[in-house]
Amino acid sequence: MIVAPVCPRSLSFRPLMLPSSSIVKLQVHRQSRGRATAYIDGRDCGELLQGECIEIKKSPYPLMCVNRDDLAAGWALDINQLLKFNRTFSYPHEAPFGDHDPDSE
């Protein structure tokens, strides 16, 4: 399990890597002046009032994943090709990397 701070105020706030058996409990202090909103994986999961808490733990249901046969190629190469990282700029009339699409004319 990884707990990562969103918008940390300094570089000393680093992500925490915890054992998969960990249970993380987040609680709004009973004397808090306000509420807290819980965002999990970027989704608004609701408000927590003073004294309320949420617990985060490993699901008992496994997540099935699909792996490629050619893992040696690596996912980073796929991302680089998709986003065209480390390529020079070109104009539409130039196609140095074979990216020119004749159907787009």
Side-chain angles (χ1 to χ4, degrees), residues 8-102:
R9 293 184 176 199
S10 76
L11 293 177
S12 63
F13 292 105
R14 302 284 185 186
L16 299 173
M17 187 161 36
L18 304 172
S20 62
S21 59
S22 298
I23 297 175
V24 176
K25 181 178 179 180
L26 302 173
Q27 182 173 14
V28 179
H29 196 276
R30 292 189 188 282
Q31 296 176 352
S32 174
R33 291 179 285 155
R35 305 171 184 174
T37 303
Y39 288 91
I40 300 173
D41 289 335
R43 300 175 84 182
D44 184 346
C45 294
E47 278 193 341
L48 297 172
L49 302 174
Q50 292 86 344
E52 292 184 326
C53 68
I54 56 173
E55 283 189 358
I56 304 165
K57 61 184 175 181
K58 180 181 174 182
S59 171
Y61 307 103
L63 175 67
M64 304 305 283
C65 297
V66 177
N67 289 328
R68 296 174 35 165
D69 288 337
D70 58 343
L71 289 176
W75 61 270
L77 179 62
D78 292 341
I79 296 292
N80 285 339
Q81 289 175 348
L82 175 69
L83 299 176
K84 299 181 182 180
F85 286 151
N86 298 323
R87 290 194 174 179
T88 59
F89 293 105
S90 63
Y91 295 98
H93 64 279
E94 299 173 353
F97 300 106
D99 292 342
H100 184 65
D101 183 10

